[in-house]
Amino acid sequence: MSLVTLAQARAHCRVDPDYPAEQLAGYIAGASAAAQDYLNRAVFPDTESLQAARAGYSLAVGGAADARRTALTAADAIAGYEARCAAKRIAEVVHEEALRAADRALHGIVANDAIQSAVLLTVGHLFANRSGVVIGASSIELDLGVKALLRPHRRVMMP
């Protein structure tokens, strides 16, 4: 799901309409994923999408539990101790990931101007800096950058 449109990204990066859409689409997808990862919650384009995700929470949690039980039962049938333990560990990890995904949707948020601005800032950064290394330039993080825009909406999770 894209939190900003291709047209918004084109305007933000000040590129011509014939600039490859695939390249900007990758930046948009990466920036949207990074914002959601930082927020520890899913971001939805509208209230209806958020409500639909929340409505599916019980089904997602139940499905995760059913899949875990099935995987653990199958693991018990494995003859070797190490292989059986590995299969059980995989079942637990898959279960934890499914619960985490469901939890992110349950605590989701509708995209707002701050989130969209943070995504656009990240898209602009990815567009301007196409390499992991910058030679001959110094840089600083802006006080009013991506984290400052996202922090008020972040779901802080304690261990």
Side-chain angles (χ1 to χ4, degrees):
M1 176 225 21
S2 183
L3 301 178
V4 299
T5 66
L6 183 60
Q8 289 172 313
R10 284 185 194 279
H12 182 75
C13 294
R14 296 184 178 145
V15 296
D16 294 327
D18 62 343
Y19 187 83
E22 307 82 42
Q23 190 166 3
L24 285 177
Y27 296 157
I28 293 168
S32 297
Q36 292 181 83
D37 287 344
Y38 180 78
L39 292 170
N40 292 318
R41 61 197 333 186
V43 180
F44 297 93
D46 52 47
T47 305
E48 294 78 23
S49 299
L50 173 59
Q51 289 172 343
R54 286 181 174 161
Y57 177 76
S58 295
L59 185 60
V61 170
D66 290 344
R68 177 178 175 256
R69 275 191 294 276
T70 301
L72 290 175
T73 300
D76 284 336
I78 297 174
Y81 175 76
E82 289 83 8
R84 185 171 52 253
C85 288
K88 287 183 177 186
R89 181 68 183 130
I90 291 169
E92 295 298 341
V93 169
V94 169
H95 181 251
E96 290 168 14
E97 289 174 351
L99 290 180
R100 196 172 307 115
D103 196 50
R104 287 171 64 110
L106 177 65
H107 294 282
I109 187 172
V110 174
N112 58 38
D113 292 341
I115 294 171
Q116 289 176 327
S117 294
V119 170
L120 285 172
L121 278 174
T122 305
V123 167
H125 170 75
L126 294 171
F127 174 77
N129 304 291
R130 296 179 193 158
S131 174
V133 178
V134 178
I135 299 173
S138 61
S139 65
I140 58 169
E141 185 174 354
L142 299 175
D143 288 338
L144 297 176
V146 173
K147 287 183 181 178
L149 290 166
L150 295 176
R151 193 173 295 116
H153 309 288
R154 186 171 194 213
R155 182 167 178 258
V156 179
M157 298 170 20
M158 301 306 252

